[in-house]
């Protein structure tokens, strides 16, 4: 008999919290069962496998992340929107490292739920970039540049990769201002060949 109050949603939510503590790669059914005060076989009444649990965490995390980014960026445009998006991205990723790791992979082909929640985050980013009036050829490149820069920074920061004696937030703002400057300039045409 399943523990009272324990259902798939509660198991996934507890798994997400635990992943933030131990890392997504460190999450096991045994650790989660201990956290929930049940035996590991009891979890399989709610999630079929560790893979299914991680999928549930990924979908939940992508939805939470998209809502956070949208909430912080709404009503802003241009550089102000980029700064709000970037600051929100950084805060959320550092506060929820396990969940953030679950947001990184692209959806598996045929997984419509994951595709939909993944597109929510992408749409927020595209809406933020829309304020720059970029030519269509630059939108994807700009979105990839911003995502790569933010992901790289928060990944390094989250693993204590910045040890030089300068405030990390100042460096982060320098990165964002550099991206903004790039969005506001016309690069050589060769960048858009092919």
């Amino acid at each position: 008999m399943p523990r009272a109050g324990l259902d798939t949603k509660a198991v996934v939510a507890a798994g997400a919290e635990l992943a933030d503590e131990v890392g997504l790669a460190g999450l096991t059914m045994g650790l989660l069962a201990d956290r929930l005060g049940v035996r590991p076989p009891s979890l399989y009444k709610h999630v079929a496998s560790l893979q299914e649990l991680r999928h549930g965490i990924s979908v939940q995390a992508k939805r939470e992340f998209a809502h956070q980014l949208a909430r912080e960026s709404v009503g802003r445009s241009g550089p102000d929107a980029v700064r709000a998006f970037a600051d929100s991205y950084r805060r959320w990723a550092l506060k929820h490292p396990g969940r953030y790791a679950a947001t990184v992979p692209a959806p598996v082909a045929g997984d419509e739920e994951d595709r939909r929640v993944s597109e929510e985050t992408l749409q927020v980013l595209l809406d933020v970039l829309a304020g720059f009036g970029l030519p269509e050829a630059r939108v994807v490149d700009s979105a990839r540049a911003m995502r790569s820069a933010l992901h790289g920074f928060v990944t390094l920061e989250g693993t204590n990769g910045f040890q030089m004696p300068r405030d990390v937030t100042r460096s982060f703002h320098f990165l964002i201002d550099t991206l903004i400057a790039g969005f506001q300039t016309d690069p050589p045409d060769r960048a858009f060949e092919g």
Side-chain angles (χ1 to χ4, degrees), residues 120-144:
E120 288 177 26
T121 305
L122 175 60
Q123 190 57 56
V124 175
L125 175 55
L126 295 176
D127 290 347
V128 163
L129 292 173
F132 289 91
L134 299 169
E136 189 175 331
R138 286 190 62 194
V139 172
V140 171
D141 295 327
S142 298
R144 286 177 176 164

Side-chain angles (χ1 to χ4, degrees), residues 13 15 17 31 38 76-77 82 93-94 102 108 138 161 163-165 178 191:
E17 289 179 16
L31 285 174
V38 299
R76 301 169 188 259
S77 65
V82 170
L94 294 175
V108 174
R138 286 190 62 194
Q163 296 297 312
M164 296 174 77
T178 301

Side-chain angles (χ1 to χ4, degrees), residues 59-70 85 107 112-128:
V59 168
Q60 174 190 312
K62 288 176 181 182
R63 187 173 289 121
E64 290 174 2
F65 196 30
H67 291 168
Q68 174 67 29
L69 294 169
F85 180 95
E112 287 304 306
E113 181 182 29
D114 196 0
R115 181 194 58 75
R116 274 193 311 277
V117 295
S118 296
E119 286 180 1
E120 288 177 26
T121 305
L122 175 60
Q123 190 57 56
V124 175
L125 175 55
L126 295 176
D127 290 347
V128 163

